[in-house]
Amino acid sequence: GWSAIETGSFHTCAIRANDNSMLCWGADVDGQTSVPTDNVEILGDGWSSVACGGNLTCGVRAMDSGIYCWGLNDDGQTNVPALEASDNWSSVSVGHNHSCGIKMNGDRICWGQNKFGQQNLPISVIAIE
């Protein structure tokens, strides 16, 4: 069986329940279905979550809660901020040209395109935080 499934524009990724491995299929124009499998540091004990959007995919690694992203990177949408990438992520979400994640401490961090303010919280929400 499967524990998670996500769809992008023309691809789908799912995490197997028995071993946390990820399988992706569909269009692979920008490498969005090419799940890293040959790097033990990246793969570790598999994946705890996956997010697909546009032509990119991100996953949260099971072994350390680190985020890894692959696929189209024309706006930096796969470049997880270096100081934040390593660990302690609870979730990740992917748009067409940007990505966001929530750290285990509740912090929200976004990267990639911000042409339409998609990384910025509305002023009314910031006031409540």
Side-chain angles (χ1 to χ4, degrees):
W2 304 92
S3 62
I5 190 164
E6 283 283 326
T7 60
S9 293
F10 301 103
H11 73 293
T12 302
C13 294
I15 298 174
R16 293 181 193 267
N18 65 340
D19 65 359
N20 296 327
S21 64
M22 188 185 305
L23 178 65
C24 296
W25 59 94
D28 194 32
V29 176
D30 295 298
Q32 66 268 30
T33 66
S34 300
V35 181
T37 58
D38 59 345
N39 186 332
V40 174
E41 183 176 321
I42 292 170
L43 188 59
D45 293 325
W47 305 92
S48 59
S49 68
V50 60
C52 301
N55 289 351
L56 69 141
T57 304
C58 292
V60 176
R61 297 181 301 232
M63 72 177 192
D64 65 356
S65 300
I67 286 184
Y68 189 76
C69 298
W70 57 95
L72 184 65
N73 193 34
D74 58 345
D75 287 306
Q77 61 267 41
T78 65
N79 295 341
V80 182
L83 295 176
E84 304 294 343
S86 60
D87 58 10
N88 296 319
W89 293 91
S90 61
S91 66
V92 62
S93 183
V94 176
H96 186 74
N97 291 83
H98 71 292
S99 304
C100 294
I102 297 177
K103 302 283 284 194
M104 291 192 185
N105 66 3
D107 288 351
R108 174 205 54 90
I109 299 168
C110 296
W111 56 94
Q113 187 189 87
N114 196 29
K115 184 177 179 180
F116 302 103
Q118 60 267 46
Q119 293 186 34
N120 307 330
L121 285 174
I123 299 295
S124 58
V125 175
I126 294 171
I128 296 170
E129 283 191 324

